[in-house]
Amino acid sequence: MAAVEVARRRFTVDEYYQMARAGILGEDDRVELIEGEIIEMVPIGTLHAACVRRLLHIFSTKIGDNALVDTQNPLRLSQNSEPQPDLMLLKPRDDYYATFHPRPEDVLLLVEVADTSVAYDREVKVNLYARGGVNEVWLVNLQAQQVTAYRLPSPSGYKEVKEYGRGDHIVPLAFPGLNIPVQDILPGD
C-alpha cells in the first residue's frame, strides 16, 4: 500500500490574527501558532497553575522594576510562530509592549512549565526558542521535579543545558545576584 501524502496549510502570524478577527478563533480558544500550525494547548492543571503562581511571586518580589513579569502572553518569534510561554521576564518598556508583542531580544528569561507536555515542550518549543534567539529558557518538569536551564541559543538548539533538582539553586543569566532555590519553584513537598 502506498503512503498517502497530506498537504498541510501553514499560516502566518498575520493570518492567525485575521482568523481571530473573523471569529474563526475565539477569545476562549487555548491555541498558539507554532511553525505555521495552530496547536491546541494542553489544559492547565492545578500543579501547573501553582508553579506559574510560584514563579510569578518569586520574580515579582525579587526583580522589582528591573523587568516586566509576563505570564501566558504571546511572544512573536517569527512570521510563523507566536507561542504563549508560561512566564517571561521582559526588558522594561514604558508602553508595556502595547504597540507590539515582545520579540526574542526583549526576553531576559522565558519559562515553560510542563506536566503532561514535557516531551513536546523539550523537543518542539525549546528548540523553537533556540532558533528564535531567546537567550535563556527554563523548562520546569513537574513530573521529574526538576528545572532544566537552556542557554546559548543557536539554530541547532541550545549549546548549554543544565538540570537542577530540589536541593539545587538556579540563577538567571540576566540577574546574577538572584539565587533561587529550586524547591521554591516546584509545587508540593
Side-chain angles (χ1 to χ4, degrees), residues 1-19:
M1 188 169 176
V4 177
E5 291 270 335
V6 177
R8 289 186 170 177
R9 167 69 162 89
R10 299 206 183 262
F11 300 98
T12 66
V13 173
D14 291 338
E15 291 168 329
Y16 179 62
Y17 279 99
Q18 286 174 353
M19 285 186 265

Side-chain angles (χ1 to χ4, degrees), residues 20-149:
R21 284 190 297 275
I24 296 167
L25 297 174
E27 199 174 289
D28 295 331
D29 288 333
R30 288 197 25 84
V31 295
E32 57 188 351
L33 187 67
I34 305 293
E35 296 182 323
E37 293 190 47
I38 298 171
I39 305 294
E40 189 170 357
M41 295 165 63
V42 176
I44 296 174
T46 57
L47 290 178
H48 182 286
C51 185
V52 172
R53 287 184 197 108
R54 284 170 167 268
L55 289 161
L56 181 61
H57 176 75
I58 290 167
F59 290 123
S60 294
T61 57
K62 297 185 186 281
I63 298 291
D65 292 335
N66 296 313
L68 295 176
V69 183
D70 196 24
T71 58
Q72 300 168 335
N73 284 316
L75 170 66
R76 173 71 69 96
L77 283 178
S78 69
Q79 279 301 106
N80 297 316
S81 293
E82 193 173 274
Q84 296 178 29
D86 288 308
L87 184 135
M88 292 184 287
L89 299 182
L90 301 172
K91 293 178 182 175
R93 284 181 52 100
D94 290 339
D95 72 346
Y96 291 80
Y97 297 91
T99 55
F100 61 89
H101 287 308
R103 301 204 171 16
E105 60 271 16
D106 301 312
V107 179
L108 300 169
L109 173 67
L110 184 150
V111 183
E112 286 286 2
V113 176
D115 190 1
T116 58
S117 63
V118 175
Y120 177 77
D121 286 348
R122 184 185 318 110
E123 294 162 22
V124 176
K125 291 181 86 174
V126 168
N127 286 320
L128 186 70
Y129 297 139
R131 287 192 306 275
V134 175
N135 196 43
E136 182 174 18
V137 173
W138 293 358
L139 177 59
V140 180
N141 181 336
L142 295 176
Q143 292 177 358
Q145 291 286 290
Q146 68 182 22
V147 178
T148 305

